[in-house]
Amino acid sequence: MADEDLWESIDRLRAWLDANRAQGGREGLLLRILKLSEEVGEVAEAVIGATGQNPRKGASHTWDDVRSELCDVVITALVALHTLTPDAREVFMAHLAGVTERSLGTNPTP
């Protein structure tokens, strides 16, 4: 999937959620952002299940489940960002560039 396809999909998902949401306005925005907490919790649940840390449930998840849940976190975050700003792609890419520069510098070594 090309970068443009990613952002087109995020835009389509945001529009679909907007058309089918129970709450609009500020409350709808806050609930959309809070959805991230739910998704992160599902990552934690999958990690606990993949490592068998819950003796009552045992190995209830796989590392594929963890990967899927992490993808859900990323999608949810991008949709929330796009809800906050129509320039989500530009905002994200500028932020990523800043984090990369702060972390790796101008001449990163592999």
Side-chain angles (χ1 to χ4, degrees):
M1 176 181 276
D3 183 57
E4 294 80 25
D5 296 336
L6 166 78
W7 289 101
E8 179 182 330
S9 293
I10 294 301
D11 185 47
R12 290 176 52 220
L13 288 167
R14 183 206 43 83
W16 174 75
L17 287 167
D18 285 350
N20 294 285
R21 65 182 169 199
Q23 300 293 325
R26 182 179 174 129
E27 186 173 90
L29 171 63
L30 295 175
L31 290 168
R32 186 157 299 165
I33 292 169
L34 286 175
K35 177 74 173 158
L36 278 166
S37 295
E38 178 187 353
E39 295 298 341
V40 169
E42 291 175 9
V43 172
E45 179 182 17
V47 169
I48 289 167
T51 57
Q53 293 303 302
N54 184 336
R56 186 174 53 81
K57 293 182 180 180
S60 59
H61 292 76
T62 67
W63 288 105
D64 284 339
D65 295 326
V66 175
R67 285 187 281 274
S68 290
E69 297 299 344
L70 285 169
C71 288
D72 288 348
V73 169
V74 171
I75 293 165
T76 302
L78 291 177
V79 168
L81 179 61
H82 192 3
T83 301
L84 283 172
T85 178
D87 301 323
R89 177 182 180 175
E90 292 78 16
V91 169
F92 178 76
M93 295 308 292
H95 189 78
L96 178 61
V99 169
T100 302
E101 175 65 28
R102 268 194 325 272
S103 301
L104 304 176
T106 56
N107 295 313
T109 55

